[in-house]
Amino acid sequence: MNTSDPTVQPVPASVVEQVDAADVTLSNPKRAVISLGSNLGNRLETLQGAIDALEDTPGVRIKAVSPVYETQPWGVEPGSQPSYFNAVVLLKTTLPPSSLLERGHAIEEAFERVRDEQWGPRTIDVDIVAYQDVLSDDPTLTLPHPRAHERAFVLVPWLDVDPEAEVPGRGPVAELVGAVGQEGVVARTDLELRLPE
């Protein structure tokens, strides 16, 4: 990890120890889907920074990054916040869901995300949408994400990188996109996120 980069927080020692032996080979990795969103500051740069920070995590390897989409904020009055840039990342990981969540929160904190209000504006949002085929109603981390199946800003970029994807317990992403529609989810073909090398 590049410790000179102030936007990347160190992974807690407990997590490093947990996956240290598996970091090179990623023995028996699990598939995870991460949704990213930003509507404050340099949105594209922040999304790329979050992707790079995920890749810098021991036990995580990013396999695909979706195109960038611009969307209106969810759950607030139109025009009350800047629009979002959204993307979805597919990764393989040896981290358990709880440690992946911990890393996501550390990345949010590194980019100074503020949690003053529900549906409030944010520099970065890092959500675990799905982890393998796990179904869990744990209030700390519900899997799959409890609203992913109704959010076009998650489903549309996810479909781009995995046309055969399914939301566990909810069905194929392609069918869910058909049900919720794509209104307000605008492809930003002028922008691009890099897959870490």
Side-chain angles (χ1 to χ4, degrees):
M1 179 181 298
N2 180 6
T3 55
S4 64
D5 185 346
T7 64
V8 179
Q9 285 198 350
V11 180
S14 60
V15 176
V16 174
E17 291 168 2
Q18 193 169 10
V19 297
D20 185 56
D23 187 37
V24 176
T25 60
L26 284 187
S27 176
N28 192 29
K30 308 299 184 186
R31 292 175 286 106
V33 181
I34 305 292
S35 173
L36 302 173
S38 173
N39 76 333
L40 292 177
N42 188 325
R43 297 167 292 174
L44 185 68
E45 184 177 289
T46 300
L47 290 181
Q48 186 64 58
I51 290 168
D52 294 342
L54 282 168
E55 176 67 16
D56 280 344
T57 305
V60 171
R61 289 294 172 267
I62 294 178
K63 296 301 180 182
V65 177
S66 78
V68 178
Y69 285 86
E70 188 163 12
T71 66
Q72 293 307 305
W74 172 275
V76 298
E77 288 294 321
S80 63
Q81 292 182 24
S83 61
Y84 274 85
F85 283 176
N86 292 101
V88 162
V89 174
L90 305 183
L91 55 82
K92 295 285 187 73
T93 184
T94 53
L95 294 176
S98 59
S99 295
L100 191 59
L101 177 66
E102 184 179 339
R103 181 55 175 155
H105 285 167
I107 292 169
E108 290 177 340
E109 290 172 12
F111 283 96
E112 300 180 349
R113 172 174 172 173
V114 176
R115 297 177 183 271
D116 285 343
E117 57 181 301
Q118 188 178 31
W119 318 125
R122 57 207 65 182
T123 54
I124 189 67
D125 192 19
V126 181
D127 281 337
I128 302 175
V129 177
Y131 183 97
Q132 202 74 4
D133 297 319
V134 172
L135 298 172
S136 171
D137 58 3
D138 185 330
T140 303
L141 177 58
T142 304
L143 291 170
H145 190 288
R147 291 175 295 278
H149 66 286
E150 58 190 30
R151 290 180 167 179
F153 66 82
V154 172
L155 297 171
V156 172
W158 187 1
L159 187 63
D160 277 340
V161 289
D162 188 358
E164 305 301 318
E166 294 196 18
V167 179
R170 295 289 185 176
V173 171
E175 292 181 11
L176 295 169
V177 168
V180 303
Q182 300 186 44
E183 184 177 354
V185 182
V186 179
R188 289 296 304 265
T189 56
D190 57 320
L191 304 175
E192 185 177 4
L193 294 167
R194 302 182 313 277
L195 183 66
E197 296 180 0

Short mmCIF file of all heavy atoms in Angstrom, two decimals, residues 51-93:
data_model
loop_
_atom_site.label_atom_id
_atom_site.label_comp_id
_atom_site.label_asym_id
_atom_site.label_seq_id
_atom_site.Cartn_x
_atom_site.Cartn_y
_atom_site.Cartn_z
N ILE A 51 -11.60 3.33 -5.84
CA ILE A 51 -11.26 2.09 -6.56
C ILE A 51 -9.82 1.70 -6.27
O ILE A 51 -9.52 0.54 -5.98
CB ILE A 51 -11.50 2.29 -8.08
CG1 ILE A 51 -13.00 2.39 -8.36
CG2 ILE A 51 -10.86 1.15 -8.88
CD1 ILE A 51 -13.33 2.88 -9.75
N ASP A 52 -8.92 2.67 -6.35
CA ASP A 52 -7.50 2.39 -6.08
C ASP A 52 -7.30 1.93 -4.64
O ASP A 52 -6.48 1.03 -4.37
CB ASP A 52 -6.65 3.64 -6.37
CG ASP A 52 -6.64 4.02 -7.84
OD1 ASP A 52 -6.99 3.17 -8.69
OD2 ASP A 52 -6.29 5.17 -8.14
N ALA A 53 -8.03 2.54 -3.70
CA ALA A 53 -7.90 2.14 -2.30
C ALA A 53 -8.42 0.73 -2.07
O ALA A 53 -7.85 -0.04 -1.28
CB ALA A 53 -8.64 3.14 -1.41
N LEU A 54 -9.49 0.37 -2.75
CA LEU A 54 -9.99 -1.01 -2.65
C LEU A 54 -8.93 -1.99 -3.16
O LEU A 54 -8.65 -3.01 -2.54
CB LEU A 54 -11.28 -1.18 -3.44
CG LEU A 54 -12.55 -0.66 -2.79
CD1 LEU A 54 -13.70 -0.62 -3.80
CD2 LEU A 54 -12.94 -1.52 -1.58
N GLU A 55 -8.34 -1.67 -4.31
CA GLU A 55 -7.32 -2.56 -4.89
C GLU A 55 -6.10 -2.66 -3.99
O GLU A 55 -5.43 -3.69 -3.96
CB GLU A 55 -6.92 -2.05 -6.28
CG GLU A 55 -5.81 -2.82 -6.96
CD GLU A 55 -6.19 -4.25 -7.35
OE1 GLU A 55 -7.39 -4.57 -7.38
OE2 GLU A 55 -5.27 -5.05 -7.63
N ASP A 56 -5.80 -1.60 -3.25
CA ASP A 56 -4.65 -1.60 -2.34
C ASP A 56 -4.89 -2.41 -1.07
O ASP A 56 -3.98 -2.56 -0.26
CB ASP A 56 -4.30 -0.16 -1.93
CG ASP A 56 -3.49 0.57 -2.99
OD1 ASP A 56 -2.95 -0.10 -3.89
OD2 ASP A 56 -3.40 1.81 -2.92
N THR A 57 -6.08 -2.93 -0.90
CA THR A 57 -6.44 -3.68 0.30
C THR A 57 -5.94 -5.12 0.19
O THR A 57 -6.26 -5.80 -0.78
CB THR A 57 -7.97 -3.68 0.49
OG1 THR A 57 -8.45 -2.34 0.50
CG2 THR A 57 -8.35 -4.38 1.79
N PRO A 58 -5.18 -5.60 1.17
CA PRO A 58 -4.77 -7.02 1.14
C PRO A 58 -5.99 -7.93 1.07
O PRO A 58 -6.97 -7.73 1.80
CB PRO A 58 -4.03 -7.19 2.47
CG PRO A 58 -3.52 -5.82 2.81
CD PRO A 58 -4.60 -4.88 2.33
N GLY A 59 -5.94 -8.91 0.19
CA GLY A 59 -7.05 -9.84 0.06
C GLY A 59 -8.14 -9.37 -0.87
O GLY A 59 -9.20 -9.99 -0.93
N VAL A 60 -7.91 -8.29 -1.63
CA VAL A 60 -8.91 -7.78 -2.57
C VAL A 60 -8.27 -7.61 -3.94
O VAL A 60 -7.17 -7.05 -4.05
CB VAL A 60 -9.50 -6.43 -2.10
CG1 VAL A 60 -10.36 -5.79 -3.19
CG2 VAL A 60 -10.30 -6.61 -0.83
N ARG A 61 -8.95 -8.08 -4.97
CA ARG A 61 -8.51 -7.86 -6.35
C ARG A 61 -9.71 -7.43 -7.18
O ARG A 61 -10.70 -8.16 -7.25
CB ARG A 61 -7.89 -9.13 -6.95
CG ARG A 61 -6.53 -9.49 -6.38
CD ARG A 61 -5.47 -8.45 -6.72
NE ARG A 61 -4.22 -8.69 -6.04
CZ ARG A 61 -3.87 -8.15 -4.88
NH1 ARG A 61 -4.70 -7.35 -4.23
NH2 ARG A 61 -2.70 -8.41 -4.33
N ILE A 62 -9.63 -6.26 -7.77
CA ILE A 62 -10.73 -5.75 -8.60
C ILE A 62 -10.67 -6.40 -9.97
O ILE A 62 -9.62 -6.45 -10.61
CB ILE A 62 -10.66 -4.22 -8.70
CG1 ILE A 62 -10.93 -3.61 -7.32
CG2 ILE A 62 -11.65 -3.69 -9.73
CD1 ILE A 62 -10.86 -2.12 -7.26
N LYS A 63 -11.82 -6.90 -10.42
CA LYS A 63 -11.90 -7.62 -11.68
C LYS A 63 -12.57 -6.82 -12.79
O LYS A 63 -12.33 -7.07 -13.97
CB LYS A 63 -12.65 -8.94 -11.48
CG LYS A 63 -11.93 -9.90 -10.53
CD LYS A 63 -10.55 -10.24 -11.05
CE LYS A 63 -9.80 -11.19 -10.14
NZ LYS A 63 -8.44 -11.47 -10.63
N ALA A 64 -13.44 -5.88 -12.43
CA ALA A 64 -14.13 -5.08 -13.45
C ALA A 64 -14.62 -3.78 -12.84
O ALA A 64 -15.00 -3.75 -11.66
CB ALA A 64 -15.31 -5.86 -14.04
N VAL A 65 -14.60 -2.72 -13.65
CA VAL A 65 -15.10 -1.40 -13.25
C VAL A 65 -16.08 -0.95 -14.32
O VAL A 65 -15.77 -0.97 -15.52
CB VAL A 65 -13.95 -0.38 -13.11
CG1 VAL A 65 -14.51 0.99 -12.76
CG2 VAL A 65 -12.95 -0.83 -12.06
N SER A 66 -17.25 -0.54 -13.90
CA SER A 66 -18.29 -0.14 -14.85
C SER A 66 -18.01 1.23 -15.45
O SER A 66 -17.18 1.99 -14.94
CB SER A 66 -19.65 -0.10 -14.14
OG SER A 66 -19.77 1.09 -13.37
N PRO A 67 -18.75 1.58 -16.50
CA PRO A 67 -18.74 2.97 -16.95
C PRO A 67 -19.31 3.89 -15.87
O PRO A 67 -19.95 3.43 -14.91
CB PRO A 67 -19.67 2.94 -18.18
CG PRO A 67 -19.69 1.51 -18.62
CD PRO A 67 -19.56 0.70 -17.37
N VAL A 68 -19.11 5.18 -16.04
CA VAL A 68 -19.62 6.19 -15.11
C VAL A 68 -21.02 6.61 -15.55
O VAL A 68 -21.27 6.83 -16.74
CB VAL A 68 -18.70 7.42 -15.07
CG1 VAL A 68 -19.27 8.49 -14.14
CG2 VAL A 68 -17.29 7.02 -14.65
N TYR A 69 -21.92 6.72 -14.58
CA TYR A 69 -23.27 7.22 -14.84
C TYR A 69 -23.52 8.44 -13.96
O TYR A 69 -23.04 8.50 -12.82
CB TYR A 69 -24.32 6.15 -14.54
CG TYR A 69 -24.39 5.09 -15.60
CD1 TYR A 69 -23.54 3.99 -15.55
CD2 TYR A 69 -25.28 5.19 -16.67
CE1 TYR A 69 -23.59 3.01 -16.53
CE2 TYR A 69 -25.34 4.21 -17.65
CZ TYR A 69 -24.49 3.13 -17.58
OH TYR A 69 -24.54 2.16 -18.55
N GLU A 70 -24.27 9.39 -14.49
CA GLU A 70 -24.68 10.56 -13.71
C GLU A 70 -26.15 10.40 -13.36
O GLU A 70 -26.98 10.09 -14.22
CB GLU A 70 -24.44 11.85 -14.48
CG GLU A 70 -24.67 13.09 -13.63
CD GLU A 70 -24.06 14.34 -14.24
OE1 GLU A 70 -23.65 14.31 -15.41
OE2 GLU A 70 -24.00 15.37 -13.52
N THR A 71 -26.47 10.58 -12.08
CA THR A 71 -27.83 10.37 -11.60
C THR A 71 -28.23 11.46 -10.62
O THR A 71 -27.38 12.12 -10.03
CB THR A 71 -27.96 9.00 -10.89
OG1 THR A 71 -27.16 9.01 -9.70
CG2 THR A 71 -27.46 7.87 -11.78
N GLN A 72 -29.52 11.60 -10.44
CA GLN A 72 -30.02 12.54 -9.46
C GLN A 72 -30.04 11.90 -8.08
O GLN A 72 -30.18 10.68 -7.96
CB GLN A 72 -31.43 13.00 -9.85
CG GLN A 72 -31.46 13.83 -11.12
CD GLN A 72 -30.50 15.00 -11.07
OE1 GLN A 72 -30.55 15.83 -10.16
NE2 GLN A 72 -29.60 15.09 -12.05
N PRO A 73 -29.86 12.69 -7.02
CA PRO A 73 -29.83 12.13 -5.67
C PRO A 73 -31.11 11.37 -5.34
O PRO A 73 -32.21 11.74 -5.77
CB PRO A 73 -29.68 13.37 -4.78
CG PRO A 73 -29.04 14.38 -5.65
CD PRO A 73 -29.60 14.14 -7.02
N TRP A 74 -30.95 10.33 -4.56
CA TRP A 74 -32.04 9.46 -4.15
C TRP A 74 -32.69 10.01 -2.87
O TRP A 74 -32.02 10.40 -1.93
CB TRP A 74 -31.47 8.06 -3.90
CG TRP A 74 -32.41 7.05 -3.30
CD1 TRP A 74 -32.67 6.86 -1.98
CD2 TRP A 74 -33.17 6.08 -3.99
NE1 TRP A 74 -33.56 5.83 -1.81
CE2 TRP A 74 -33.87 5.33 -3.02
CE3 TRP A 74 -33.32 5.75 -5.34
CZ2 TRP A 74 -34.73 4.28 -3.36
CZ3 TRP A 74 -34.17 4.71 -5.68
CH2 TRP A 74 -34.86 3.98 -4.70
N GLY A 75 -34.04 10.05 -2.85
CA GLY A 75 -34.76 10.34 -1.62
C GLY A 75 -34.80 11.79 -1.18
O GLY A 75 -35.16 12.06 -0.04
N VAL A 76 -34.43 12.74 -2.07
CA VAL A 76 -34.46 14.17 -1.70
C VAL A 76 -35.16 14.96 -2.80
O VAL A 76 -35.40 14.45 -3.90
CB VAL A 76 -33.03 14.73 -1.49
CG1 VAL A 76 -32.34 14.02 -0.35
CG2 VAL A 76 -32.20 14.64 -2.77
N GLU A 77 -35.50 16.20 -2.48
CA GLU A 77 -36.16 17.06 -3.46
C GLU A 77 -35.25 17.32 -4.66
O GLU A 77 -34.05 17.58 -4.48
CB GLU A 77 -36.52 18.40 -2.81
CG GLU A 77 -37.67 18.32 -1.82
CD GLU A 77 -38.98 17.95 -2.48
OE1 GLU A 77 -39.24 18.44 -3.60
OE2 GLU A 77 -39.74 17.16 -1.89
N PRO A 78 -35.79 17.24 -5.88
CA PRO A 78 -34.97 17.52 -7.07
C PRO A 78 -34.34 18.91 -6.98
O PRO A 78 -34.98 19.88 -6.59
CB PRO A 78 -36.00 17.46 -8.22
CG PRO A 78 -37.09 16.57 -7.70
CD PRO A 78 -37.16 16.85 -6.22
N GLY A 79 -33.06 18.97 -7.33
CA GLY A 79 -32.34 20.24 -7.33
C GLY A 79 -31.78 20.65 -5.99
O GLY A 79 -31.10 21.67 -5.89
N SER A 80 -32.04 19.87 -4.93
CA SER A 80 -31.57 20.24 -3.59
C SER A 80 -30.12 19.83 -3.35
O SER A 80 -29.51 20.29 -2.39
CB SER A 80 -32.47 19.63 -2.52
OG SER A 80 -32.41 18.21 -2.55
N GLN A 81 -29.59 18.96 -4.20
CA GLN A 81 -28.20 18.51 -4.09
C GLN A 81 -27.60 18.40 -5.48
O GLN A 81 -28.32 18.26 -6.47
CB GLN A 81 -28.11 17.12 -3.43
CG GLN A 81 -28.48 17.04 -1.99
CD GLN A 81 -28.30 15.63 -1.46
OE1 GLN A 81 -27.52 14.84 -1.99
NE2 GLN A 81 -29.03 15.30 -0.41
N PRO A 82 -26.25 18.41 -5.57
CA PRO A 82 -25.62 18.15 -6.86
C PRO A 82 -25.90 16.71 -7.32
O PRO A 82 -26.23 15.84 -6.51
CB PRO A 82 -24.12 18.33 -6.57
CG PRO A 82 -24.05 19.09 -5.28
CD PRO A 82 -25.28 18.73 -4.52
N SER A 83 -25.78 16.48 -8.60
CA SER A 83 -25.98 15.13 -9.14
C SER A 83 -24.82 14.23 -8.74
O SER A 83 -23.74 14.70 -8.38
CB SER A 83 -26.12 15.17 -10.66
OG SER A 83 -24.94 15.70 -11.25
N TYR A 84 -25.07 12.93 -8.81
CA TYR A 84 -24.07 11.93 -8.46
C TYR A 84 -23.36 11.40 -9.69
O TYR A 84 -23.95 11.32 -10.77
CB TYR A 84 -24.73 10.73 -7.76
CG TYR A 84 -24.90 10.89 -6.29
CD1 TYR A 84 -26.02 11.54 -5.78
CD2 TYR A 84 -23.96 10.39 -5.40
CE1 TYR A 84 -26.19 11.69 -4.41
CE2 TYR A 84 -24.12 10.55 -4.03
CZ TYR A 84 -25.23 11.19 -3.55
OH TYR A 84 -25.40 11.35 -2.19
N PHE A 85 -22.10 11.00 -9.50
CA PHE A 85 -21.45 10.07 -10.40
C PHE A 85 -21.50 8.71 -9.70
O PHE A 85 -21.18 8.61 -8.51
CB PHE A 85 -19.99 10.45 -10.65
CG PHE A 85 -19.79 11.59 -11.60
CD1 PHE A 85 -18.52 12.09 -11.85
CD2 PHE A 85 -20.87 12.19 -12.26
CE1 PHE A 85 -18.32 13.15 -12.72
CE2 PHE A 85 -20.68 13.25 -13.13
CZ PHE A 85 -19.40 13.72 -13.37
N ASN A 86 -21.95 7.69 -10.44
CA ASN A 86 -22.08 6.34 -9.88
C ASN A 86 -21.32 5.34 -10.74
O ASN A 86 -21.17 5.51 -11.96
CB ASN A 86 -23.54 5.91 -9.83
CG ASN A 86 -24.35 6.69 -8.81
OD1 ASN A 86 -25.08 7.61 -9.17
ND2 ASN A 86 -24.19 6.35 -7.55
N ALA A 87 -20.84 4.29 -10.09
CA ALA A 87 -20.18 3.19 -10.78
C ALA A 87 -20.31 1.94 -9.91
O ALA A 87 -20.62 2.01 -8.72
CB ALA A 87 -18.70 3.50 -11.04
N VAL A 88 -20.07 0.80 -10.53
CA VAL A 88 -20.08 -0.49 -9.82
C VAL A 88 -18.75 -1.19 -10.09
O VAL A 88 -18.22 -1.14 -11.21
CB VAL A 88 -21.26 -1.36 -10.27
CG1 VAL A 88 -21.06 -2.82 -9.91
CG2 VAL A 88 -22.55 -0.85 -9.64
N VAL A 89 -18.23 -1.81 -9.04
CA VAL A 89 -16.97 -2.55 -9.11
C VAL A 89 -17.23 -4.01 -8.77
O VAL A 89 -17.92 -4.31 -7.79
CB VAL A 89 -15.94 -1.95 -8.11
CG1 VAL A 89 -14.68 -2.79 -8.06
CG2 VAL A 89 -15.62 -0.51 -8.48
N LEU A 90 -16.68 -4.91 -9.57
CA LEU A 90 -16.71 -6.33 -9.26
C LEU A 90 -15.35 -6.72 -8.73
O LEU A 90 -14.32 -6.34 -9.31
CB LEU A 90 -17.02 -7.17 -10.50
CG LEU A 90 -18.29 -6.84 -11.28
CD1 LEU A 90 -18.46 -7.83 -12.43
CD2 LEU A 90 -19.51 -6.83 -10.38
N LEU A 91 -15.32 -7.47 -7.64
CA LEU A 91 -14.03 -7.86 -7.08
C LEU A 91 -14.06 -9.28 -6.55
O LEU A 91 -15.11 -9.86 -6.34
CB LEU A 91 -13.59 -6.87 -5.99
CG LEU A 91 -14.51 -6.59 -4.80
CD1 LEU A 91 -14.37 -7.67 -3.74
CD2 LEU A 91 -14.20 -5.22 -4.20
N LYS A 92 -12.86 -9.82 -6.39
CA LYS A 92 -12.66 -11.10 -5.70
C LYS A 92 -11.96 -10.79 -4.39
O LYS A 92 -11.07 -9.93 -4.35
CB LYS A 92 -11.79 -12.04 -6.54
CG LYS A 92 -12.42 -12.47 -7.87
CD LYS A 92 -13.50 -13.50 -7.65
CE LYS A 92 -14.01 -14.06 -8.98
NZ LYS A 92 -13.05 -14.96 -9.61
N THR A 93 -12.36 -11.46 -3.34
CA THR A 93 -11.78 -11.16 -2.04
C THR A 93 -11.72 -12.37 -1.13
O THR A 93 -12.57 -13.25 -1.21
CB THR A 93 -12.56 -10.02 -1.34
OG1 THR A 93 -11.91 -9.67 -0.12
CG2 THR A 93 -14.01 -10.43 -1.06
#
